[in-house]
Amino acid sequence: GTSGGRAGSLSSRPALLVEFAAHPSFYRLIVWWLVLAALGLAFLPLTLRLFRAFHDGGYLFSRLLGLLLTSYAVWLLSSLRLAPFTDGTAYAAVAAAALVNYYVPGATARVRAFLREKRRIVVAEEYLFLLCLLAWAFLRGVRPELDSIEKFMDLGFLNAAMRGEWMPPTD
């Protein structure tokens, strides 16, 4: 009876992991991780200044700070009708932010010294972040259905934002 069902479900778990890693979305997830890492490097000089008291210089906060500030800049530019809400505007905002962050005298040297000195911590935090990202993507992939009213509304808002050229998106 039940023990046979359990053994079957235990033996299917590795197959589920293989299926997850072989899915085309897995590669998009890796690209997303690389983009976030690049965004974090773009904002590392600012993060090292803001979080200088932290043992790791606030390394993981750099990607969060980069994502928040560039997203807000793109939204603001689009809301003021200065630039459309497109990939090009987002790339331009990231490039402009990276230039501003590394334009500060000594920023590049400070980042290089930090990465050299804290290399082990940075690698450990990257592995931890990647592991959490993969685990969360796997868990969402196991149950991808939209099962509550709020999720349908969120999907509607996202679709409206992605189709719109200007912010705020049409209702």
Side-chain angles (χ1 to χ4, degrees), residues 49-122:
R49 282 183 178 263
L50 292 176
F51 297 99
R52 64 178 147 253
F54 284 41
H55 176 66
D56 66 347
Y59 175 75
L60 284 179
F61 286 115
S62 64
R63 60 185 76 203
L64 178 64
L65 194 61
L67 192 59
L68 288 173
L69 292 177
T70 55
S71 299
Y72 181 68
V74 171
W75 179 85
L76 188 61
L77 288 170
S78 181
S79 292
L80 297 174
R81 305 266 183 195
L82 297 174
F85 186 71
T86 62
D87 291 348
T89 304
Y91 295 140
V94 171
L99 287 173
V100 167
N101 273 303
Y102 283 92
Y103 181 74
V104 175
T108 304
R110 207 170 20 257
V111 167
R112 283 184 182 154
F114 167 78
L115 291 174
R116 207 173 18 255
E117 180 183 329
K118 304 287 185 175
R119 178 178 47 242
R120 287 180 175 220
I121 292 172
V122 167

Side-chain angles (χ1 to χ4, degrees), residues 8 10 18 22 24 32 58 76-77 101 106 155:
L10 287 177
V18 169
W32 179 239
L76 188 61
L77 288 170
N101 273 303
L155 185 64

Side-chain angles (χ1 to χ4, degrees), residues 9-70:
S9 67
L10 287 177
S11 65
S12 67
R13 286 182 186 165
L16 193 59
L17 289 173
V18 169
E19 184 179 341
F20 171 69
H23 196 274
S25 295
F26 180 79
Y27 302 107
R28 287 188 218 123
L29 182 69
I30 298 301
V31 168
W32 179 239
W33 171 62
L34 292 172
V35 166
L36 284 175
L39 192 58
L41 285 175
F43 277 83
L44 195 53
L46 176 63
T47 306
L48 291 176
R49 282 183 178 263
L50 292 176
F51 297 99
R52 64 178 147 253
F54 284 41
H55 176 66
D56 66 347
Y59 175 75
L60 284 179
F61 286 115
S62 64
R63 60 185 76 203
L64 178 64
L65 194 61
L67 192 59
L68 288 173
L69 292 177
T70 55

